[in-house]
Amino acid sequence: MDRNPSPPSSEAEEEGDAVGNTVYSKHWLFSILTRLIEVISPEQAQPHGSPQGSPPAPTELDEEMENDICKVWDMSMDEDVALFLQEFNAPDIFMGVFAKSKCPRLTEICVGILGNMACFQDICMSISKDENLGQVLLQRLCDSDSPTLLETSRLLLTCLSQPEVANVWVERIRENPSVFDCVCFIMSSSTNVELLVKVGEVVDKLFDLDEELMLNWIKNGTCRSVGPSVDDSPEELPDFKIVPCILEAAKQVRSDNPEGLDVYMHILQLLTTVDEGIQAIVQAPDGGKETWSLLYDLVCHELCQPDDPPIIVQEQKTVLASILSVLSAMFASQTEQEYTKMRKSKSCFFLFNMPLIGSLIRILQYMEGCGKRPADNSKESEEEETGKADVNEEDFHLKILKDICCELLSNMLQELTKENMLEGLHQGHLNEQTCSCAFQNLLPLYFASVESFLEVLREADQTLADNLEKRFPNLKVHA
């Protein structure tokens, strides 16, 4: 059916019936709220003397009621309408819907209306401070209906984005362990990309707002709890761990939604800001192999590819920064904890990652290309001055990407063996052009790393090492 029917107007109604400055009818809105009560409490609408016993709550809305309640959903984006609904206790009516309704579509619409109402600060504060309503809304995360889950996630994100009430929701979620299970269940099992993106945005916001909650979720998964099921009967959920769930969601969204991939990569980056998060990644049963493989594949085979124009690095700068930050944290952690025990197999590990070194250098090359802007002319100077703040912000994000890229590249170059170097030369990842680009970006901050790399390169290709020394005379390599 039509998702956006034309809202009713009050033009034919008596004077004073309009909601605020809109053309919407108070009388019509009130009648819909009344009918909504009747839908969830049909016993109240039974004639006196009718047979005892309440009829079962309907599982589907009739077309007319669905059409009308969808009109309210659309109208609730208007602040005057939202305030009218608040004044007539619509949130309490919706509470009744959540408690009694067996109709997923009705629940979805009511949560959606609340989500629209929460976009306005005063209403959001009122909704957020209602403890009963808050608990009931969190319970909706355990719903089996994807559209309801989507609207619930949208509502939570709206509230978490309001600084005045964000802490209320963070505390409420922290005190509800079932939220962790429900969110992990969605991330690990849903194929609905739109839902996964919105749930990811909620998790990203939560972790960004509260490190304690993030730590709790990192450590979680040691106990089982009741979660969603289709028939509303209790169901024991798997013993969830946060990292595998994030990875599963990222795999689902990677092809269809670049923004969603950006969200999940940023969640992983937030995990690496605490030691517990890094350990959760690298001490997984597979030693972090799944995480590394996914990120490696994204960098080497999907993002910033050789046939892309250099400007692509501008578009992908945030997701690249997140991915490289996680890879860098993993590399440093594994180098410290595992490679001392794996020296014999280290060569094979780095052979696998030679394409990653090539990709890191390509990112730096593309960034240099983006930095070569045409000379100013008089006609464009005014426009460029207007966009100066935006340019500065772009430069700031690119600088972050460059810093992360250089750190990871320097660490990887420092660990290369002669065998790795020969393979890199054979594959074309290392040559005079790429090495010069790497040196140009790494020096002078990572002088020791470049010098170490050059020493090994001399064993693999004396001529190339000599040429690079001529380009960078400050490097002194001892045979």
Side-chain angles (χ1 to χ4, degrees), residues 33 79-92 94 113-114 117-118 120 122-128 130 133:
L33 294 177
E79 185 172 8
D80 286 334
V81 174
L83 289 169
F84 177 86
L85 293 172
Q86 174 78 359
E87 180 183 352
F88 281 88
N89 299 318
D92 289 340
F94 298 153
I113 295 172
L114 276 176
M117 295 171 63
F120 306 105
D122 290 343
I123 300 176
C124 185
M125 292 180 68
S126 176
I127 291 173
S128 301
D130 187 329
L133 180 58

Side-chain angles (χ1 to χ4, degrees), residues 2-9 24 28 67-68 70-72 74-75:
D2 185 5
R3 169 63 187 85
N4 292 296
S6 299
S9 77
Y24 306 137
W28 184 87
N67 185 56
D68 286 343
C70 277
K71 290 177 183 177
V72 178
D74 291 326
M75 293 161 62

Side-chain angles (χ1 to χ4, degrees), residues 296 345-356 416-424 427 429:
Y296 169 92
S345 62
K346 185 175 69 170
S347 177
C348 294
F349 178 88
F350 282 106
L351 283 176
F352 174 73
N353 284 295
M354 284 309 303
L356 178 56
L416 291 178
T417 65
K418 178 182 177 181
E419 291 75 18
N420 306 150
M421 201 80 74
L422 288 170
E423 186 66 22
Q427 294 174 352
H429 300 301

Side-chain angles (χ1 to χ4, degrees), residues 396-408:
F396 174 74
H397 288 294
L398 284 175
K399 183 181 184 305
I400 291 175
L401 174 58
K402 179 180 177 181
D403 291 345
I404 296 170
C405 188
C406 287
E407 180 181 8
L408 176 57

Side-chain angles (χ1 to χ4, degrees), residues 304 313 357-370 401-406 409 434 437-442:
C304 207
V313 78
I357 290 176
S359 294
L360 294 175
I361 296 174
R362 181 167 62 251
I363 291 171
L364 292 173
Q365 289 175 318
Y366 281 13
M367 292 176 70
E368 289 178 353
C370 288
L401 174 58
K402 179 180 177 181
D403 291 345
I404 296 170
C405 188
C406 287
L409 180 61
T434 59
C437 175
F439 287 12
Q440 188 70 39
N441 284 277
L442 295 176

